[in-house]
Each structure stands twice: as structure tokens, then as C-alpha cells.
Amino acid sequence: MLLSTVASSVVGCFITRSSRVRGIPDPSFFTTSTKMALEQFTFGPYKIDSREVFYSTHLSYALVNLRPVVPVHVLVCPRREVKRFVDLTTDETSDLWITAQKVGSRLETYHKASSLTLTIQDGPQAGQTVPHVHIHIIPRKGGDFRENDEIYDALDEKEKELKQKLDLDKDRKDRSLDEMAQEAEEYRKLFL
């Protein structure tokens, strides 16, 4: 509440009707961005920089992918660290899929895709490498893979590579934080 009041007061001092015409975002953008910037996000044992997160609810969040299979491959996760899909509460399950639907729809439209692949790898034998439920959302276009089902092979390969890279004793070295933050900032604007 205090953050919202402070952000509204500060933003209200600088945003006027005429400044919105010049392309300055609505004050609610700053409040949402400020709240998200102050939140803590984890993905299994890993801390996620809030600049990688572009959408959140009280139970779920969406983030850009460290190692995407194709550009625009993002993840939706429950806020609570839950290893297996069956261990989600009913509210978490509902919110996770509603968030995935909203994120997928906006990204499909924004990137002029024609379809979506939504997938969960639930458990190690299913290819899950980070022990935290997550939905892969991949906007698809004709010809992005020679054979449609090759996307699943690509996901498996990226997950194996990611498992080798995401050693707790090593830094994440794939896409830079700046690159991911820039992508997340672009997507955040889709939810204003």
C-alpha cells in the first residue's frame, strides 16, 4: 500500500494529460514496474533478477528464457517453488494456466505468430531440469521447424544443455541480463 501511494504521488507530480500525448506511459505502468522491481523471484534454486520478469500475478509470473529454443520462448511459473505439477493447489493451477493463456495470446499477436506450443516437462524423466513447475510458451510460425514435432527434440536438447550450464557453482552465461531485461521491458508494455 505504501509503495503504491508513494509511486502514485511521485508519478502524479510528473505525468500530466499533455505529457501522455508525448508518449510518456500511464502512471499505472510505473506503479506496476516499481512493484515488480522490488519483488523477489526464484526459479527452483535460482534467484531471478526482477528485470527478467515481464508479467506477474499474486500466484504466478512470466519471464524471458535464459536459453530459448526459438526467439520469443518464455516461461510461466508459480511463485511458490513446486517441483511437480500435481503438487500445485487448485488456485495455483488455475492462475498458472490463465497466466499462460494471457501471455501466449499477447505474444502470439505481438510477434504475428499463427500458433502456440505450450508444454510442461513434469519430472526428471520428462526432461525437467529445474525442479520448479514451469510452462514453456513458444509462439510458432510456419516453417520454424522442418517437422512440427522437432520442437520437442529441440526443447529436450536445450534442457540438457541448460542442466549442464545451470550448476550452482557457475554463473549463468547464456543470454546477457541486459538482453533479457530489454526483452522483458518490451513485453511488459503488452500488459498495460
Side-chain angles (χ1 to χ4, degrees), residues 1 3 18 22 39 41 53 79-80 89 100 108 117 142 155:
M1 178 73 173
L3 173 62
S18 62
R22 293 192 300 257
E39 292 181 85
F41 297 96
V53 176
R79 285 181 177 263
R80 183 171 67 95
T89 67
E108 181 178 0
T117 293
L155 273 170

Side-chain angles (χ1 to χ4, degrees), residues 12-66:
C13 293
F14 299 103
I15 305 298
T16 65
R17 183 181 168 106
S18 62
S19 65
R20 285 190 194 123
V21 173
R22 293 192 300 257
I24 296 175
D26 184 89
S28 64
F29 170 78
F30 294 103
T31 304
T32 302
S33 294
T34 303
K35 284 180 185 176
M36 224 182 296
L38 297 174
E39 292 181 85
Q40 299 287 324
F41 297 96
T42 59
F43 182 44
Y46 309 105
K47 291 182 182 177
I48 300 298
D49 190 295
S50 63
R51 293 175 290 174
E52 297 172 55
V53 176
F54 61 89
Y55 181 78
S56 67
T57 69
H58 70 289
L59 293 174
S60 303
Y61 66 95
L63 72 156
V64 297
N65 201 332
L66 175 67

Side-chain angles (χ1 to χ4, degrees), residues 147-178:
E147 299 289 329
N148 192 44
D149 284 348
E150 284 180 0
I151 192 163
Y152 301 109
D153 295 334
L155 273 170
D156 285 343
E157 186 58 37
K158 291 292 183 179
E159 288 285 331
K160 287 175 189 169
E161 291 173 17
L162 190 61
K163 186 175 185 174
Q164 293 170 358
K165 287 278 188 179
L166 287 181
D167 182 338
L168 289 175
D169 297 328
K170 296 179 183 178
D171 291 328
R172 294 165 40 166
K173 296 179 182 171
D174 289 84
R175 295 194 323 159
S176 72
L177 177 58
D178 287 340

